Amino acid sequence: MIKLAVIGTNWITDNFIQGALETGRFELCAVYSRSLEKAKSFGLKHNAKYFFDDLELFASSTEFESVYIASP
């Protein structure tokens, strides 16, 4: 199982997560957003366990192995 994290909480991220989870090869572990509240509300609907609003803390985390970036 690949531990996945995402940057961004828009509809495209939602669609990506759904597709990744359908493969059975990914587990969403973490979400980064500029707002911690938004990261939590978005991540909880996909069973994420870790939420970040600090990009440096997100980047130094060892809780995930891959990152999908959906932010300009």
Side-chain angles (χ1 to χ4, degrees):
M1 189 73 63
I2 299 170
K3 295 180 180 179
L4 175 66
V6 296
I7 296 175
T9 56
N10 205 332
W11 66 269
I12 192 73
T13 311
D14 199 44
N15 287 349
F16 176 83
I17 293 168
Q18 289 176 18
L21 295 178
E22 285 177 14
T23 69
R25 301 176 84 187
F26 293 91
E27 169 190 8
L28 181 65
C29 291
V31 176
Y32 168 85
S33 178
R34 290 172 286 183
S35 159
L36 189 58
E37 183 178 305
K38 192 168 186 178
K40 285 181 180 179
S41 67
F42 182 85
L44 287 174
K45 71 179 181 179
H46 295 290
N47 299 316
K49 297 176 185 166
Y50 304 98
F51 313 100
F52 298 88
D53 63 353
D54 181 312
L55 194 54
E56 288 188 33
L57 288 175
F58 176 84
S60 65
S61 175
T62 59
E63 299 300 334
F64 50 86
E65 303 163 323
S66 63
V67 178
Y68 174 71
I69 301 172
S71 181

